[in-house]
Amino acid sequence: MPSMSLQSVTAVIILSIDDGSVYILDPPPLHRLSRHAVDALEEPILCDSDLRIFAKYYDAPHHAPTGTSGASSSPYPDVKSQKSFEKGLLEKTAKQTGDIILYDNKLVLYKMESDVMMYVVGGAEENEVLLYNVILALRDSLHLLFKQSVDKRTVVENYDLVSLAIDEIVDDGIILETDPTIIVQRVSKAPTQDVNLSRIDLSEQGVNNLAQLGRAKLTDWLRQGL
């Protein structure tokens, strides 16, 4: 069985395979997005003849970058190299009937839905079963969120929810969750209301109670992850 590094996912990509229809949308309100989803909005949400609908590449979080100080450790450090990889990947998988391929020394799991292709990319040494669970989690989460066929227009019009769902599945290349029901519950949760500080017990006993609750939640979370 292949070994699994701490960083299991190199990239999550959604590409268009339609006829080049154009959709231009205003970015969703930033208060609805997590920090990671905001990072993904570096480019305008514009889907035209460009293949890319969504793409997020991860640097190895626990390895010092090589070369120039501060340089990216990603094998695709700039948009040009990323889009070159994406174009070749789509050409390679467009006529394939499977859902796994080795491309550019990367293990790629993919699923086609209507006029979009979804990819999860990992190193060649990664566990393909684990990566397959990620692509299934992404596909199934989007189906549950949108309650309809997942297509280019739906993904573009709900870009913020797609970003949040992917952030719930993968963080800095590390797989966090693959249960689509849990992912959808977290993404669909109503925005948190402003906290009334006057109702918080800041006494010594209150702080102790809060610490005990935090430890209990952490224990439950660790058990669920085993």
Side-chain angles (χ1 to χ4, degrees):
M1 180 179 294
S3 61
M4 184 185 71
S5 65
L6 182 58
Q7 185 204 16
S8 298
V9 178
T10 302
V12 177
I13 305 166
I14 304 177
L15 301 181
S16 169
I17 56 175
D18 73 353
D19 59 0
S21 302
V22 178
Y23 307 122
I24 304 177
L25 299 177
D26 293 328
L30 294 184
H31 72 272
R32 292 178 59 186
L33 302 182
S34 69
R35 173 178 61 83
H36 301 293
V38 172
D39 291 342
L41 291 176
E42 293 174 353
E43 299 180 12
I45 304 177
L46 169 60
C47 296
D48 50 17
S49 57
D50 187 3
L51 300 173
R52 176 185 288 191
I53 301 175
F54 177 96
K56 193 163 187 180
Y57 290 76
Y58 303 96
D59 291 336
H62 299 291
H63 298 278
T66 58
T68 306
S69 177
S72 172
S73 59
S74 169
Y76 310 104
D78 52 49
V79 173
K80 182 178 180 180
S81 62
Q82 291 172 6
K83 290 195 173 184
S84 176
F85 171 74
E86 293 162 16
K87 181 180 179 181
L89 182 59
L90 185 59
E91 291 174 351
K92 191 74 173 178
T93 57
K95 297 181 181 180
Q96 299 285 338
T97 56
D99 46 26
I100 182 171
I101 192 173
L102 188 65
Y103 176 74
D104 197 25
N105 199 34
K106 296 288 182 292
L107 189 63
V108 182
L109 281 297
Y110 60 96
K111 289 290 184 183
M112 185 174 70
E113 289 290 325
S114 184
D115 55 0
V116 299
M117 191 80 85
M118 295 179 286
Y119 299 93
V120 172
V121 183
E125 75 286 353
E126 295 297 346
N127 187 319
E128 63 269 21
V129 175
L130 191 63
L131 294 179
Y132 187 69
N133 287 336
V134 174
I135 192 68
L136 290 182
L138 174 58
R139 182 198 66 182
D140 295 346
S141 296
L142 296 187
H143 274 289
L144 288 174
L145 276 172
F146 305 140
K147 296 179 175 62
Q148 58 185 327
S149 177
V150 178
D151 55 25
K152 178 178 179 179
R153 178 178 289 276
T154 302
V155 172
V156 173
E157 291 178 349
N158 297 276
Y159 189 91
D160 54 338
L161 294 179
V162 174
S163 298
L164 288 170
I166 291 173
D167 284 344
E168 290 294 340
I169 299 170
V170 180
D171 181 44
D172 284 341
I174 300 171
I175 300 170
L176 300 180
E177 182 59 70
T178 57
D179 186 328
T181 304
I182 295 175
I183 294 164
V184 170
Q185 287 175 347
R186 292 172 179 170
V187 171
S188 304
K189 191 176 298 184
T192 303
Q193 301 296 322
D194 292 338
V195 178
N196 185 354
L197 296 178
S198 64
R199 299 179 60 184
I200 298 178
D201 183 4
L202 296 178
S203 66
E204 181 177 354
Q205 183 60 43
V207 172
N208 289 336
N209 291 341
L210 184 61
Q212 292 175 3
L213 177 61
R215 284 194 293 269
K217 290 290 185 182
L218 178 59
T219 300
D220 291 342
W221 180 78
L222 290 174
R223 287 173 178 170
Q224 291 174 6
L226 293 178

